[in-house]
Amino acid sequence: MEGNRSTDQWVSKERILDKYEQYKTMLFRISFSYLGNKHDCEDVIQEAFIKLCYNAPGFPSDEDEKRWLIRVTINLCKNLLLSFWNRNRMNIDDMAELASEPMDVAVMQNILNLPSKYKMAIYLHYIEGYKISEITKILRIGESAVKMRLKRGRELLKLELEGEYEDR
Amino acid sequence: MKIDKYKDVYSKLDTDDSMDKRIKDKLVYYDSVLESAEHKIKNTNRKTDIRSFFKPMKRLSFLRVSLPSLTFLLFMVIIIFSVKARMSSDTSSQGTTNNLPSAYNNDGGNSPTDIISQLTATPSPELTAAPTQAPTITPPVVTEELPDITEAPSNNDNVVGTDNSEVTSNNATSGNTEVTPGSTATDDGTTAKTGDFYFATFDSMSAYGIVNSISGLALRFHGTVNKINPDDVTDIILTRDGNQVDNTLSITDRIVQRAWGNEDITDFFFEFNKIISEPGLYGLTGKYKGVKFTASYVIIDGPLTDEPANPDDLVYVGYVYKTDPQEQPISISEVSFQFIGKQNAFNQSDLSDLKMTIDDTEVPFTFTYDVFRYRDYNEYDGRTYTSFNLLLTKECTKPGKYVLTGKYQGKSFTSMEMTIP
């Protein structure tokens, strides 16, 4: 095979199904943050794994693969939102199905309304537990930009923390 | 809001079993479709690749390879038989006769896997060496000829359905069990009633962002609709490059009800009796309740090469932008380079002397790494076009008149003017 793939890294059908189980929840949460409805999330997740199966470069580690998947998913969500043929809004039925409490729905609406650059910094840091230095590699921005997005995102979401974020 | 609450909300977001099954089935089915179509996908000829990895096997290695393969085969058999069993019980409980031949009664063993349309092209970005300088020229007169497909053949061997029975879909989204009468506001500002036919579009599959097969048709209706009568869909004519292609259409169980833009819509999915994968320009006409419709054209290009787009074929540089509810531009997100005909690749390194101005004042900007390829057919001039879109790293929102100038492979271009009020 051309490119950087090696025998060990060729994605077989069995492995892609394993990787789906491994990453599906994360990709669903990322895509739902952007798209707000399950149907589009399903399309994006499927496309991301198809890209992983056929279009992914060689990965030195599983963490690199995970970061690649996150980036691809974010780009697919942005592309879908920008698409001339697809101008979706949040499907309140999907949200009600996923979170039964009205407060949860309200929180999710706030997250969806958050500018995309802030929501991903917040999600990657507080939900996925990435350090700031790691977020710079995923979002391809500088550390100061990550910190600013975390700060602004928290302000907009009115997130109350025990203390300042740490580069743990 | 406490951070714990934020985390708690996210913890409730997850896929469900039905979504997992559809996606997994799709990944497996997609792979088998590509192999059966014997597509030579760029950089990944799977048959060649598999052989290249097939090293001489020791007994132990053979066991390690064969056991997962057997497990996978068993998994596929279980999926196919469980789905067939489910479909048999659903069909027997309906008590109706499908007007169109049902995909699930097909003894050919078609999988009733959900088919998700995918028309967006998202190829890998390409980078090559910078081009040499060339004199500035204007775009040439277009000479490409295409078959005239504006008039469909009058012979129609694909009339579907002779019975008048009604088919009820079993896949309505939970919570949407009633058709709400009345009007719905549409995306284009007109008023349509729930259940009114909207448009038809091919249901296609793609790899590397390139459409490589068409599996069926999606008919979209305004509002939330639970069922349609397949008898109302008639006179289906499928064409490739203007010539009729023999194929029949069968309704499936799949419907999607969701929001689209500012309205609710419902898609009903139909399947062709065989997957279409031969390169060409595909069109389809039909009638719904006696009123003719035309599906959006789809182009199957076949494999692409590394050859960059011909600068002589560049005809237009424009923008992708967002609008407010009054359709006024509010931000520019992409720059689109449109070429006549089929173009294979576009390299950002072939761009030079780029300059963006707002009200004639130069402003800095950058593109992201990605290049998105689109194929379109223009019914008015009968030509196909290839667009390559570049994403602006930062969307432009400043009011003013935007113009982008530069050179593509040494040939100068000037974009259209784009004004953000």
Side-chain angles (χ1 to χ4, degrees):
Chain A
M1 188 183 289
E2 297 178 24
N4 295 329
R5 287 179 182 266
S6 67
T7 306
D8 292 336
Q9 292 173 328
W10 180 65
V11 185
S12 65
K13 265 181 279 195
E14 297 89 334
R15 285 194 65 191
I16 198 69
L17 294 176
D18 288 340
K19 287 180 186 300
Y20 175 76
E21 287 297 328
Q22 184 180 358
Y23 296 123
K24 62 175 184 173
T25 302
M26 176 186 73
L27 298 193
F28 182 81
R29 290 172 180 173
I30 291 173
S31 54
F32 199 90
S33 302
Y34 278 97
L35 305 171
N37 73 85
K38 289 164 57 178
H39 294 297
D40 288 339
C41 290
E42 184 172 333
D43 287 352
V44 163
I45 294 171
Q46 179 187 283
E47 181 72 8
F49 279 100
I50 288 174
K51 284 180 179 294
L52 178 66
C53 201
Y54 297 107
N55 199 25
F59 299 113
S61 68
D62 286 346
E63 189 53 45
D64 284 288
E65 180 182 67
K66 184 180 175 185
R67 281 199 287 260
W68 184 90
L69 263 178
I70 291 172
R71 272 203 306 272
V72 164
T73 302
I74 292 172
N75 286 338
L76 285 170
C77 290
K78 287 181 179 178
N79 193 34
L80 199 65
L81 289 171
L82 291 171
S83 167
F84 176 80
W85 299 108
N86 196 339
R87 287 171 282 168
N88 280 320
R89 57 180 168 80
M90 187 179 99
N91 187 321
I92 199 71
D93 292 329
D94 284 349
M95 192 56 225
E97 193 179 310
L98 293 164
S100 54
E101 297 177 25
M103 174 60 77
D104 290 349
V105 175
V107 169
M108 202 63 224
Q109 275 182 311
N110 287 338
I111 292 170
L112 284 166
N113 290 336
L114 200 64
S116 61
K117 57 183 179 181
Y118 303 135
K119 75 172 84 177
M120 270 305 105
I122 293 281
Y123 173 82
L124 291 172
H125 188 64
Y126 293 110
I127 304 299
E128 292 296 326
Y130 279 105
K131 300 178 186 179
I132 291 175
S133 55
E134 292 168 329
I135 296 174
T136 62
K137 296 176 188 175
I138 296 172
L139 300 183
R140 293 177 176 168
I141 55 176
E143 277 203 17
S144 59
V146 173
K147 291 179 182 176
M148 178 58 70
R149 291 184 186 191
L150 286 172
K151 181 174 180 292
R152 284 293 294 143
R154 285 204 312 272
E155 288 171 0
L156 290 170
L157 284 177
K158 297 181 175 56
L159 280 180
E160 299 166 20
L161 302 174
E162 292 295 328
E164 269 298 307
Y165 52 79
E166 295 173 0
D167 195 1
R168 60 182 188 280
Chain B
M1 169 175 59
K2 295 290 184 186
I3 187 65
D4 288 340
K5 182 59 182 174
Y6 173 78
K7 291 180 179 179
D8 178 59
V9 168
Y10 262 106
S11 69
K12 297 176 184 178
L13 295 179
D14 204 347
T15 61
D16 53 48
D17 291 343
S18 60
M19 184 187 297
D20 289 342
K21 185 178 182 311
R22 283 193 299 272
I23 293 177
K24 285 181 179 177
D25 287 351
K26 196 68 170 181
L27 293 175
V28 171
Y29 179 65
Y30 183 86
D31 182 75
S32 65
V33 166
L34 286 181
E35 286 197 329
S36 66
E38 294 185 354
H39 265 277
K40 299 293 190 286
I41 300 174
K42 174 175 176 272
N43 291 336
T44 56
N45 182 327
R46 284 183 57 89
K47 291 183 179 178
T48 302
D49 291 333
I50 291 171
R51 286 194 294 272
S52 71
F53 290 137
F54 203 79
K55 300 174 184 176
M57 289 294 178
K58 298 178 183 177
R59 276 188 300 170
L60 194 61
S61 301
F62 180 79
L63 184 65
R64 196 178 64 210
V65 168
S66 66
L67 199 55
S69 303
L70 285 173
T71 306
F72 170 73
L73 279 173
L74 189 62
F75 173 71
M76 279 304 299
V77 167
I78 291 171
I79 285 178
I80 290 170
F81 276 96
S82 64
V83 172
K84 275 192 173 179
R86 178 176 169 240
M87 290 303 119
S88 298
S89 64
D90 285 345
T91 303
S92 63
S93 67
Q94 282 179 10
T96 60
T97 303
N98 286 353
N99 190 43
L100 292 172
S102 167
Y104 307 130
N105 292 332
N106 189 327
D107 291 334
N110 285 342
S111 166
T113 317
D114 291 327
I115 299 169
I116 300 173
S117 66
Q118 190 58 261
L119 295 178
T120 304
T122 57
S124 302
E126 310 259 352
L127 292 177
T128 61
T132 56
Q133 291 293 320
T136 301
I137 65 170
T138 56
V141 175
V142 174
T143 57
E144 178 187 310
E145 293 182 358
L146 282 176
D148 179 8
I149 61 173
T150 53
E151 291 298 323
S154 56
N155 292 334
N156 174 20
D157 294 328
N158 290 342
V159 176
V160 284
T162 55
D163 300 330
N164 291 318
S165 55
E166 194 171 88
V167 173
T168 301
S169 167
N170 294 321
N171 276 359
T173 304
S174 61
N176 295 319
T177 55
E178 299 294 329
V179 173
T180 306
S183 302
T184 61
T186 64
D187 245 5
D188 58 6
T190 61
T191 301
K193 289 184 298 189
T194 295
D196 281 355
F197 180 77
Y198 205 158
F199 59 79
T201 183
F202 282 109
D203 190 13
S204 58
M205 294 182 358
S206 61
Y208 303 108
I210 304 161
V211 175
N212 60 13
S213 65
I214 300 170
S215 53
L217 195 71
L219 298 189
R220 178 162 292 183
F221 294 79
H222 290 285
T224 301
V225 180
N226 282 353
K227 58 188 178 185
I228 60 169
N229 185 353
D231 259 349
D232 293 333
V233 182
T234 61
D235 300 282
I236 297 294
I237 298 173
L238 174 69
T239 61
R240 179 178 60 241
D241 297 332
N243 302 310
Q244 188 170 353
V245 175
D246 188 23
N247 211 315
T248 54
L249 214 53
S250 308
I251 195 168
T252 72
D253 268 6
R254 183 171 177 235
I255 67 170
V256 173
Q257 298 163 331
R258 63 189 178 104
W260 189 66
N262 298 318
E263 61 173 317
D264 294 323
I265 53 94
T266 306
D267 290 333
F268 288 87
F269 287 83
F270 293 73
E271 269 188 348
F272 290 120
N273 66 331
K274 54 185 177 181
I275 302 274
I276 298 165
S277 58
E278 186 174 336
L281 172 66
Y282 287 88
L284 183 143
T285 59
K287 289 184 180 177
Y288 181 72
K289 291 187 176 178
V291 179
K292 187 176 179 181
F293 65 82
T294 303
S296 306
Y297 290 95
V298 164
I299 300 168
I300 295 181
D301 268 337
L304 297 182
T305 68
D306 288 333
E307 184 182 359
N310 187 344
D312 293 337
D313 295 334
L314 178 63
V315 293
Y316 175 81
V317 178
Y319 303 93
V320 175
Y321 55 92
K322 291 180 190 173
T323 58
D324 62 17
Q326 288 73 42
E327 300 299 320
Q328 292 299 309
I330 55 174
S331 69
I332 298 171
S333 56
E334 298 175 38
V335 176
S336 179
F337 295 83
Q338 190 181 66
F339 296 80
I340 282 282
K342 176 188 173 184
Q343 307 289 340
N344 286 282
F346 185 91
N347 306 314
Q348 290 200 44
S349 56
D350 285 337
L351 293 171
S352 59
D353 301 338
L354 292 177
K355 178 180 169 185
M356 180 174 287
T357 59
I358 304 176
D359 294 333
D360 299 319
T361 300
E362 186 172 1
V363 293
F365 74 99
T366 55
F367 293 122
T368 67
Y369 188 58
D370 312 275
V371 178
F372 296 91
R373 181 181 182 271
Y374 299 95
R375 287 280 275 147
D376 300 294
Y377 170 71
N378 187 320
E379 294 178 64
Y380 296 104
D381 62 17
R383 299 186 179 99
T384 69
Y385 293 82
T386 307
S387 298
F388 295 95
N389 288 18
L390 307 182
L391 292 183
L392 288 164
T393 306
K394 184 180 175 185
E395 286 185 8
C396 299
T397 56
K398 184 179 176 184
K401 182 185 74 178
Y402 287 77
V403 176
L404 177 72
T405 59
K407 293 181 180 178
Y408 173 68
Q409 290 196 14
K411 292 182 180 169
S412 296
F413 67 83
T414 301
S415 75
M416 62 168 284
E417 294 178 357
M418 179 77 215
T419 300
I420 295 179

